[in-house]
Amino acid sequence: MALAAAKIIPELADVTRWPYALLGVGFALLGILCIGYGERRRREVERAVREGRYVPTHDSVAVVLAGGGVLLGFVVVVLALTDL
């Protein structure tokens, strides 16, 4: 998604590039955060399973990741509607 937003869409649509570049960077950073947190969470859960306990999800991290996705989704909608 990051590559499409930053590079492909501006080429195909012949629009101003910088909003799409920022959107692409946002998607890339969100993806990096998701991968990093997913790996950390995997290790936590594996350790907890070995020890016979439960580890709840970190609510603050889930809210940040979900909020970032929602925000980027709104930016996509705004850009799509303004370029009609």
Side-chain angles (χ1 to χ4, degrees):
M1 185 67 176
L3 181 61
K7 298 291 185 182
I8 297 171
I9 292 172
E11 282 292 320
L12 295 175
D14 193 31
V15 293
T16 305
R17 298 181 85 77
W18 71 265
Y20 293 92
L22 287 177
L23 183 63
V25 167
F27 274 115
L29 290 174
L30 184 63
I32 290 167
L33 288 173
C34 285
I35 291 168
Y37 178 67
E39 176 56 23
R40 178 178 173 218
R41 178 81 178 139
R42 182 192 65 79
R43 283 186 267 129
E44 277 183 334
V45 169
E46 282 186 0
R47 188 176 320 116
V49 167
R50 281 194 305 269
E51 296 170 359
R53 58 187 179 86
Y54 172 75
V55 180
T57 302
H58 303 106
D59 290 339
S60 58
V61 176
V63 168
V64 167
L65 294 176
V70 169
L71 178 65
L72 290 172
F74 278 125
V75 172
V76 168
V77 169
V78 169
L79 287 175
L81 291 176
T82 59
D83 287 333
L84 288 177

